[in-house]
Amino acid sequence: MSGNGDAAATALARIQTDSVVATLKALYPSLQFEIIAMSTTGDKILDTALSKIGEKSLFTKELEHALEKNEVDLVVHSLKDLPTVLPPGFTIGAICKRENPHDAVVFHPKFVGKTLETLPEKSVVGTSSLRRAAQLQRKFSHLEFRSIRGNLNTRLRKLDEQQEFSAIILATAGLQRMGWHNRVGQGALGVEVRAKDQDILDLVGVLHDPETLLRCIAERAFLRHLEGGCSVPVAVHTAMKDGQLYLTGGVWSLDGSDSIQDTMQATIHVPAQVPKLEGEGVINKSAYNLICSHQFPPPSCIQHEDGPEDDPQLVGITARNIPRGPQLAAQNLGISLANLLLSKGAKNILDVARQLNDTH
């Protein structure tokens, strides 16, 4: 195993990868999987806020390098860590069913029973996200927000053992996957593969959860059109109800004093779950993110209902086994909402946020 050797540092990544491997093993019992742990730039640089590092592939570059060299075949990511524009030659071949997408507030032991609203004046709340800080600063102006980095174990240890933070903000899904229910991109897992490796694309395509896929396409299209990333506070949320996909998005100034938010909806048919393909062979997989070296006859390729396509990707996602129409409708919804916010002045808020972030 590569990396820093700290089991705690890779615990969540391993849990996430194990869940994908377990699903694939159940679907393809004849395949064998090897899990390999790897570290990324984002895991190693812990003394700088994510928004200050200036690297768009903080949690993916080393893993994509291994994919490119055919050392691994699959990489499992938290989808929020994957840029909306992937490097040439890579694609998201599967998006698993989303877990709880909400944020959680974890308080220092001395503040158990408190809420953000009832924390003392000037209490410090830790978060690695500009989006979280801007949204919370707008609502809880009596609090201070500071960057906190590290894996979940490290951040919780800083909270419990040091006196700097009164509370920290974490993803609920991560806490639940670690089994820390008592302490409670966002929520969805993505499997990255080589874009031209049809065997692996067919293998992992069965992992697509259709509803999560369509919701994530809309969200990523919204973020890509706004050029949202770690350096600006941009948020997006989706909900599916009665055949309607609801997309809510917003942008904030760094201090949360200015914001633009809106919601749009579109009628989108969610297809049934796709059947598994039949195939034989061996696979090899990564845990820091999932990995595979395969030797098996290619399963019969799935033909898209609209016919073959040279570039089936939408916002970096390949889902040939899901009808193209709903995917395009989801993408168009994301772009339309982004354009609506831009027409209301979102570009100016984002430009100022980027400038301020670069100068501080």
Side-chain angles (χ1 to χ4, degrees), residues 115-188:
T115 65
L116 290 178
E117 190 170 18
T118 59
L119 279 177
E121 189 84 13
K122 301 299 182 182
S123 292
V124 176
V125 177
T127 174
S128 62
S129 166
L130 282 182
R131 184 263 305 171
R132 288 169 174 154
Q135 288 178 298
L136 292 170
Q137 187 72 74
R138 183 178 180 86
K139 187 170 183 179
F140 305 103
S141 57
H142 68 293
L143 302 178
E144 295 182 4
F145 295 88
R146 295 180 192 167
S147 175
I148 183 171
R149 296 288 317 285
N151 58 72
L152 289 181
N153 305 62
T154 299
R155 280 182 274 178
L156 288 170
R157 187 167 59 250
K158 288 179 180 179
L159 172 68
D160 292 341
E161 299 178 1
Q162 300 176 14
Q163 299 300 314
E164 179 180 1
F165 298 102
S166 299
I168 59 176
I169 312 297
L170 299 170
T172 299
L175 290 166
Q176 291 178 333
R177 287 170 183 150
M178 292 290 285
W180 295 335
H181 301 81
N182 63 319
R183 302 219 62 165
V184 266
Q186 310 285 97

Side-chain angles (χ1 to χ4, degrees), residues 220-267:
R220 287 171 63 84
F222 171 81
L223 293 170
R224 176 187 284 190
H225 203 67
L226 288 179
E227 298 182 358
C230 290
S231 63
V232 289
V234 179
V236 62
H237 175 72
T238 51
M240 188 76 74
K241 183 178 181 181
D242 299 328
Q244 297 290 308
L245 177 59
Y246 295 86
L247 182 68
T248 299
V251 300
W252 284 260
S253 58
L254 289 184
D255 63 0
S257 61
D258 197 6
S259 71
I260 298 175
Q261 303 174 57
D262 217 317
T263 299
M264 296 184 74
Q265 69 187 79
T267 301

Side-chain angles (χ1 to χ4, degrees), residues 1 10-26 33-37 76-77 96 177 189 207 285-291:
M1 293 177 71
T10 60
L12 178 58
R14 180 62 187 247
I15 288 170
Q16 294 178 165
T17 298
D18 284 346
S19 70
V20 172
V21 172
T23 302
L24 287 173
K25 280 184 175 179
F33 298 87
E34 178 186 351
I35 293 176
I36 303 167
V76 177
H77 301 276
C96 304
R177 287 170 183 150
L189 295 179
L207 298 176
K285 227 166 268 143
S286 125
Y288 202 86
N289 299 352
L290 187 74
I291 304 181

Side-chain angles (χ1 to χ4, degrees), residues 48 81 121:
T48 305
D81 293 334
E121 189 84 13

Side-chain angles (χ1 to χ4, degrees), residues 314-355:
L314 291 180
V315 289
I317 301 168
T318 298
R320 291 180 182 272
N321 47 3
I322 303 294
R324 188 71 166 177
Q327 293 187 60
L328 289 171
Q331 177 182 249
N332 291 338
L333 177 62
I335 294 172
S336 296
L337 180 60
N339 282 330
L340 177 62
L341 296 194
L342 289 171
S343 72
K344 293 184 173 185
K347 185 178 186 304
N348 182 61
I349 293 177
L350 293 175
D351 287 345
V352 172
R354 289 189 182 95
Q355 292 170 4

